[in-house]
Amino acid sequence: MSWTDERIQQLKDLWSQGLSASEIADILGDITRNAVIGKAHRLGLSGRPSPIKKKPTRGATILALTERMCKWPVGDPKHQDFHFCGKNALPGMPYCAEHAALAYQPASGSKKREEDRNVGAA
């Protein structure tokens, strides 16, 4: 196998698309993954995050939510990284324990006494 200008360009294109060295070797054919890595190194192609070490998924999208998942919104709905918590929701509640504690806070002492007094006043 020889590295023609066409194959080098194809290697560069596939590398920039984030394909793994094995995937590139399969596409180019008649070449090993190590040959792809070596050529990419000699060409000075930029390093990339390992395809094996995927970024952990963050939360859940609206389409992935189920009734058992926490529906606490995270981020700005206008941004692409907006998602929902997605952890296990407490039984009968829309939120996980952490977010339920934020959403359902008991009334403070003085506020509760005032509410109790106002209930009978009406």
Side-chain angles (χ1 to χ4, degrees), residues 20-99:
S20 71
S22 295
E23 292 170 322
I24 295 171
D26 289 342
I27 292 169
L28 292 176
D30 192 33
I31 190 169
T32 66
R33 138 188 200 285
N34 286 340
V36 169
I37 293 169
K39 188 63 174 179
H41 180 72
R42 288 188 300 278
L43 290 171
L45 300 180
S46 64
R48 305 168 300 171
S50 168
I52 296 170
K53 298 178 186 174
K54 303 265 185 212
K55 291 181 181 176
T57 56
R58 296 177 57 199
T61 64
I62 188 76
L63 298 175
L65 280 178
T66 68
E67 67 227 17
R68 296 184 185 135
M69 295 172 80
C70 178
K71 294 164 185 68
W72 189 268
V74 179
D76 185 342
K78 296 176 187 169
H79 293 122
Q80 188 173 5
D81 63 349
F82 174 76
H83 59 279
F84 295 88
C85 171
K87 293 179 185 173
N88 290 331
L90 294 173
M93 300 189 93
Y95 305 122
C96 64
E98 177 187 351
H99 291 124

Side-chain angles (χ1 to χ4, degrees), residues 113-122:
R113 283 190 296 274
E114 186 178 321
E115 287 174 1
D116 290 343
R117 277 185 253 146
N118 291 336
V119 169

